Amino acid sequence: MKKILITGGAGFIGSHVVRQFVNAYPSYQIINIDKLTYAGNLENLKDVENAPNYSFVKGDIGDSEFINDLFSKYCFDGVIHLAAESHVDRSISNPMSFVETNVKGTVTLLNAFKAHCNIKTAIFYHVSTDEVYGELSHEGKFTEQTPYSPNSPYSASKAASDHFVRAYHHTYGIAIKLSNCSNNYGSHHFPEKLIPLMINNIINGKPLPVYGQGANVRDWLFVEDHAKAIDLIYHKGRNGQTYNIGGNNEWKNLDLVKLLCQQMDDKIGNPKDTSIKTIAYVTDRAGHDFRYAIDSSKLMNELGWKPSVTFEQGLSKTIDWYLANKAWLANVTSGAYQSYYEAMYR
Ligand code: NAD
Ligand code: DAU
């Protein structure tokens, strides 16, 4: 039985990756380690928590004693590394926690992988972001050849971790795969990020804070399509290679918020334009990258990946999930979700 470690599996994307692997590969043993920071929520994994091929261990990827014990116990065949501090605004107010988890945590995992795994056969897969490439103006897209030029403390920490993963491949010969993905959206997304924050505020009749004039552009991908891409790259991607993943789906923030307002008003049964009137233009994010756009042609041509849903379908599914899971939202916004671990595992 192959033993696969997934880090950060209680987070937004991590929980979808855990679900993808637990359901698609009953013959793998999936071990999820997560520190359960504010972003980690075991309620995200309710549907797989009793699966025979799944187990959860609470712990910090930066704790080398804990990580070394875990690696010597399990001797993993593969690591899919998603654990991170992920929110750009938090990185602006507290950069050091991003260094601790994203840089030191990644190097701690790499050291344990090098010491305890069979480096001829085992794979270290690092899940990264398109923000390492910096920002684009109105034209062009990021390719795998775009030079790194990170602008925020978050993207600087992810760029550093990408470099460490490649350096361990080059220096010590470990097998690695990397992917750099654009903005994800979907279920179980913490409501500090644009789409779930707007959905939550519309449900609760709160103002919708748009940074600056809302002119910045992001390329949105449905999270389940990201999880499928990770599965494909993990199994079929070439050793040492990087793959860009994007939705080919660019939206100006203001246009996206307006679309969300319309769809939410329709679904909730609000009178036309109820939500749009609550848009509030607020102070811009410091150093706000103008535009991201991803060229995924390497992944599409080499491995045959393509997104499975249109943006309209994905957004509609996402809104429906939040409307059907108001208890999840209430638990997350009140902080009650943080007692789930105590209730389930102690
Ligand atoms: P998230 O913030 O929702 O989840 C991060 C998870 O990591 C949480 O469960 C948290 O508890 C855990 N974690 C944090 N610090 C830890 C530590 N020291 N030890 C163990 N666990 C720890 O993040 P996400 O949006 O799901 O992103 C997952 C990964 O994908 C990150 O590496 C991020 O950089 C990358 N990524 C995210 C996006 C996006 O749009 N959200 C896009 C591209 C890449
Ligand atoms: O590009 C991939 C990255 O996408 C990931 O690596 C990050 O982990 C993820 O958080 C995301 O980063 P962004 O900064 O692009 O996402 P966020 O949802 O925070 O913001 C999206 C855009 O919306 C951005 O231009 C800022 C703007 N925004 C955000 C919030 C939270 C607002 O206008 N108002 C808001 O309240």
Side-chain angles (χ1 to χ4, degrees), residues 26-277:
S27 67
Y28 290 2
Q29 187 183 355
I30 305 298
I31 296 102
N32 167 20
I33 62 161
D34 197 298
K35 187 180 174 183
L36 300 183
T37 67
Y38 79 93
N41 183 352
L42 288 175
E43 287 188 34
N44 294 351
L45 292 162
K46 263 185 177 162
D47 52 338
V48 290
E49 69 190 0
N50 294 320
N53 62 337
Y54 170 74
S55 48
F56 174 73
V57 184
K58 185 178 176 187
D60 183 342
I61 57 164
D63 177 345
S64 58
E65 199 180 321
F66 160 72
I67 289 295
N68 272 298
D69 283 353
L70 190 82
F71 273 71
S72 60
K73 179 174 168 203
Y74 282 103
C75 195
F76 295 111
D77 298 286
V79 174
I80 304 176
H81 173 34
L82 295 110
E85 287 293 337
S86 69
H87 192 40
V88 174
D89 292 329
R90 288 180 192 254
S91 82
I92 294 168
S93 47
N94 181 16
M96 196 52 86
S97 60
F98 287 69
V99 177
E100 289 293 335
T101 289
N102 301 1
V103 185
K104 186 178 157 225
T106 300
V107 177
T108 305
L109 286 172
L110 286 165
N111 282 340
F113 184 86
K114 179 164 78 69
H116 299 288
C117 297
N118 180 344
I119 65 159
K120 293 215 168 65
T121 54
I123 298 162
F124 190 98
Y125 182 153
H126 187 222
V127 175
S128 192
T129 171
D130 60 356
E131 300 197 10
V132 298
Y133 298 122
E135 68 177 341
L136 295 163
S137 60
H138 292 275
E139 299 299 318
K141 292 190 173 196
F142 298 132
T143 72
E144 290 81 2
Q145 279 71 48
T146 304
Y148 274 32
S149 183
N151 289 318
S152 70
Y154 163 68
S155 53
S157 69
K158 291 297 290 187
S161 56
D162 285 3
H163 289 318
F164 271 106
V165 173
R166 292 199 184 95
Y168 271 59
H169 172 65
H170 187 83
T171 309
Y172 306 112
I174 69 168
I176 61 151
K177 296 174 187 188
L178 277 107
S179 54
N180 296 86
C181 188
S182 64
N183 288 62
N184 285 216
Y185 70 96
S187 69
H188 307 92
H189 202 180
F190 196 85
E192 64 184 352
K193 309 279 167 51
L194 180 73
I195 289 181
L197 183 138
M198 295 298 165
I199 293 175
N200 185 43
N201 285 14
I202 292 170
I203 289 174
N204 292 297
K206 289 187 184 164
L208 308 178
V210 168
Y211 296 168
Q213 295 305 305
N216 302 63
V217 176
R218 296 291 182 265
D219 170 4
W220 294 94
L221 176 69
F222 191 51
V223 64
E224 292 173 27
D225 283 324
H226 188 190
K228 285 178 193 152
I230 289 172
D231 180 347
L232 197 59
I233 294 166
Y234 179 81
H235 288 100
K236 303 264 168 59
R238 284 179 290 143
N239 178 16
Q241 293 286 311
T242 294
Y243 296 85
N244 279 354
I245 313 171
N248 196 25
N249 176 42
E250 291 180 48
W251 283 83
K252 205 166 90 168
N253 290 339
L254 184 59
D255 293 341
L256 175 53
V257 173
K258 286 182 175 167
L259 176 70
L260 272 169
C261 288
Q262 281 161 12
Q263 289 209 359
M264 290 285 296
D265 283 348
D266 284 352
K267 285 183 192 274
I268 296 174
N270 281 341
K272 193 170 177 298
D273 292 342
T274 302
S275 298
I276 244 170
K277 290 183 194 140

